[in-house]
Amino acid sequence: MAKISREKVEVVIAGSGIAGSTMAAELGEAGFNVLVLEAGPERKLSEMISSQIWSRRLRWAGPEVQETGDLVGAANFAMGWGTGGAGLHWYANWYRLHPDDFRVRSQYGRSLDWPISYEELRPWYDHAQVYFGVSGGKNPSAPPGASYPMPAIPISSQSAAIKRGFDAEGLTLTSNTLAVNSVPYDGRAGCILDGWCDAGCPIGALANPLVLQWPRAKRAGVKLRHNAYVTRIETDPSGSRATGVVYIDENGQENFQPADVVIAACHTIWNARLLLLSSNDKYPDGLGNSSGTLGHYFTSHALTTIHGLFKQETEPHTGVTGANTLCLDGYDKKQPAKDAFGSRAWLVAQAAKPNDLLGTALAKPELFGDALNNYLHRASSHYGNMTVLCEEDAIPENRVALDPSKRDRYGLPQARVINSLPQENVARSELAKSEGLRIFKAAGTREAWAGPRAPMHMIGGTIMGSDPTTSVTNSFGQIHEVENVFVAGASLFPTPGAINPTATLAALVFRTADFIRTNRSSLLP
C-alpha cells in the first residue's frame, strides 16, 4: 500500500499526554502551526467515570512491553491511551527535584549529573505550578521556590491517625503538594475529595489535559489526530534535519507527515523506542544514538507500600489518590547506613476503596472467602496506608531496547525494558520499609504489614547532557545530531531523585518551548 503524504506543518508532536499537550498549547499560542499525533482514541471529559472498571480504558492498550530484571511491572500501569495520555489517570503529586538530584555524580561519585542546575530550572518550576494550579503549604524540607497558588488540601482522618507515628519517630509530616484544586481555581472547580483521581476527574479539579492544555491548544489552532501510531522519524539524505514522521492510521494505512520541527513527547519507553526505530543509513543504531547511550540509563523509583489497621476510624475512601500528606525529612543523600544510598520520600494516606487499584482488598491479595470478608469489614473504616519512593541510581545496564523476536501488529520490534535495582539502592529500600513499619507501630496500629517492592514511574533512556558523546540531547531536549528534533518528557532525566517526575517534566517543557520560540528563525527553513 502506497504511503500517503500529508500537508506539511511547522511542528508535529508525537503524543498528547502532559508533555505533548503542554508543548502543543505553548507553541500554538506562540503562533506555530502545530499538529499532534496520538496513537489512541479520542477521550472526552464525559467519559471520566469514577469506577475502576471504566478507568482501565485509560491505561496503555498499545503494543506489549517486554520487561526483565528485579524491578519491573510499571509499563501498562503508568502509561496512557488516548487524548491526554497518562495525564488522565495521574495522581497529581507535584514535587520539585532537590538541588543535589542534579549533581549526584559530582557530589557523591555515582549515577550522573544533569547539564543544568536547580537554580536554572527554578523559574520554570514557579511558572509551571501557577499554570497547572498547585495546592500545598510550606515544607521546610522542600527546595526553595514561590508559594503555591492555593492552600493545601485539608488533613484527612487517615493522615491524622498515621501522623502520631511520624511524631513518635521525630519526623515531620506536612500537607501534600498536588496539582489538585483545594478551592476553585482558573475557572475549574475545587476538589470534592471523593478519592477517584486515577479514574479521571470529570469536574476538572485535577489538572488533566482535557480541562487544562487542550482547551488552550485548540483555541490556538492546534490540530489533534487520533489513532495515529507514529513509527519513525525521517531525515533528509544528509541526516542533519528531520523531514517529518511516519505514522499508521486506524485503517492500517502508512502516512508521511512532513514537518519543520519534530517533537517526541511519548511516554518514556516510547520516546526511546521511536528513536531506536528511526535508524537509517546515517544513524544505523537509532536517531540520536551517536553516543551509544540511547535507551540506556533507564531508571524508576523503588516503591514499597505500608498498610495497617487502626483502632480509630480513618475514612480511607475519602481524599485524593496521590497522597494527603508528605514527609521529606532525610531526603538528602547522605549515607543512611553503611552500603546504602539514595533519597527517600513518604507519600502518606492515599484514598482507598475496597476494590480500586490501590484498594484495601489488594492490600491483602492472599485472602479469600470469609477471611477476606472479615478483613474488608474492618478495613473499610480503619485502614491506613503510605508509600515510600526510593532513588534508583542511573546505570547504563538498565535500558530500553528493541526486541526483534517480539513484534507488534505492524511487524515492528516491541520494546524491551531491563531494570534491576543496584544493591546499595536495595539496602536503602529495605531501611525505608523498616522505618515505615516502625511508624505504623508507633501510630498504634492493630496490625501493620508491607507490600512487595515494585517500580513506580519510568525515567531516562533519552538522557540530556552537555557532552554529545555521553548523552542523547542537550538541556533543551534537542537531539545533538539533528537540530530540529526534540524530546519532551521524563525520558530526558539523567537521574530520578525520589519524587514523582511531573513537576520537573512540566518545567522542562516550558523551558524547551521558550527555546523553540526564541530560535524560531533558525529552526524553521
Side-chain angles (χ1 to χ4, degrees), residues 327-512:
C327 177
L328 292 176
D329 286 9
Y331 185 93
D332 64 82
K333 302 180 197 303
K334 294 182 177 66
Q335 294 283 356
K338 187 176 185 298
D339 299 324
F341 181 82
S343 295
R344 69 102 173 95
W346 284 107
L347 282 59
V348 179
Q350 295 174 286
K353 310 288 194 297
N355 64 338
D356 65 356
L357 201 58
L358 297 176
T360 50
L362 287 179
K364 284 276 193 181
E366 72 279 9
L367 297 182
F368 293 90
D370 289 342
L372 177 58
N373 185 59
N374 293 335
Y375 159 72
L376 285 176
H377 271 289
R378 292 181 293 149
S380 62
S381 297
H382 297 272
Y383 173 79
N385 74 94
M386 61 185 186
T387 298
V388 68
L389 297 183
C390 291
E391 182 173 0
E392 178 179 341
D393 283 355
I395 59 173
E397 293 81 5
N398 288 337
R399 64 195 187 279
V400 179
L402 299 180
D403 188 346
S405 69
K406 302 286 186 180
R407 302 269 172 171
D408 65 16
R409 62 183 174 135
Y410 301 116
L412 298 170
Q414 291 184 2
R416 179 165 55 94
V417 175
I418 301 97
N419 188 31
S420 290
L421 194 63
Q423 187 55 45
E424 289 184 324
N425 300 149
V426 171
R428 183 67 185 98
S429 178
E430 288 297 310
L431 286 170
K433 180 174 74 172
S434 298
E435 179 183 57
L437 291 171
R438 287 198 312 272
I439 289 168
F440 265 41
K441 182 178 179 181
T445 53
R446 294 174 176 174
E447 178 184 358
W449 66 97
R453 184 165 55 243
M456 178 60 74
H457 310 124
M458 296 180 291
I459 296 163
T462 65
I463 61 168
M464 61 166 66
S466 55
D467 184 351
T469 67
T470 58
S471 57
V472 177
T473 80
N474 65 16
S475 70
F476 296 101
Q478 186 179 32
I479 290 179
H480 290 303
E481 300 93 337
V482 188
E483 67 173 356
N484 65 332
V485 176
F486 292 81
V487 177
S491 63
L492 292 172
F493 296 14
T495 57
I499 41 88
N500 303 54
T502 308
T504 303
L505 177 157
L508 290 173
V509 167
F510 288 119
R511 184 173 180 267
T512 293

Side-chain angles (χ1 to χ4, degrees), residues 49-58 196 355:
I49 299 170
S50 296
S51 158
Q52 275 300 322
I53 293 174
W54 287 98
S55 76
R56 298 303 171 115
R57 296 174 305 164
L58 308 179
W196 282 112
N355 64 338

Side-chain angles (χ1 to χ4, degrees), residues 278-353:
S278 301
S279 61
N280 54 34
D281 291 342
K282 178 73 173 177
Y283 305 110
D285 298 318
L287 192 63
N289 199 21
S290 296
S291 64
T293 57
L294 176 60
H296 294 268
Y297 298 102
F298 177 89
T299 54
S300 60
H301 292 124
L303 168 153
T304 302
T305 52
I306 305 294
H307 313 266
L309 298 178
F310 291 79
K311 295 176 183 178
Q312 68 270 46
E313 292 195 359
T314 57
E315 298 180 320
H317 61 286
T318 62
V320 291
T321 305
N324 179 253
T325 45
L326 170 72
C327 177
L328 292 176
D329 286 9
Y331 185 93
D332 64 82
K333 302 180 197 303
K334 294 182 177 66
Q335 294 283 356
K338 187 176 185 298
D339 299 324
F341 181 82
S343 295
R344 69 102 173 95
W346 284 107
L347 282 59
V348 179
Q350 295 174 286
K353 310 288 194 297

Side-chain angles (χ1 to χ4, degrees), residues 38-214:
E38 165 58 46
E42 182 179 7
R43 302 288 185 200
K44 299 178 181 178
L45 203 61
S46 60
E47 298 173 347
M48 302 299 102
I49 299 170
S50 296
S51 158
Q52 275 300 322
I53 293 174
W54 287 98
S55 76
R56 298 303 171 115
R57 296 174 305 164
L58 308 179
R59 306 282 171 177
W60 180 250
E64 183 182 355
V65 177
Q66 310 298 317
E67 296 186 78
T68 59
D70 61 22
L71 197 62
V72 298
N76 289 353
F77 173 87
M79 295 186 292
W81 186 247
T83 322
L88 297 194
H89 63 71
W90 75 303
Y91 293 177
N93 289 307
W94 190 270
Y95 316 121
R96 303 177 183 216
L97 287 173
H98 292 221
D100 63 347
D101 289 328
F102 294 83
R103 293 287 181 267
V104 183
R105 168 64 65 178
S106 296
Q107 292 187 221
Y108 304 101
R110 56 195 307 124
S111 205
L112 297 171
D113 281 345
W114 287 55
I116 54 175
S117 67
Y118 174 78
E119 286 303 320
E120 288 175 90
L121 203 55
R122 177 175 171 174
W124 299 108
Y125 275 126
D126 289 346
H127 173 74
Q129 69 188 33
V130 174
Y131 182 102
F132 277 75
V134 176
S135 59
K138 190 169 182 60
N139 187 324
S141 297
S147 298
Y148 298 113
M150 284 178 282
I153 295 286
I155 298 296
S156 66
S157 297
Q158 190 187 163
S159 277
I162 297 170
K163 186 176 184 299
R164 285 197 286 269
F166 279 88
D167 291 344
E169 289 290 310
L171 298 170
T172 303
L173 195 63
T174 65
S175 301
N176 197 16
T177 47
L178 297 150
V180 173
N181 295 350
S182 59
V183 295
Y185 181 83
D186 196 26
R188 296 186 283 117
C191 180
I192 60 174
L193 302 176
D194 66 347
W196 282 112
C197 305
D198 77 330
C201 181
I203 67 171
L206 185 150
N208 75 60
L210 292 183
V211 297
L212 181 59
Q213 294 95 333
W214 277 114

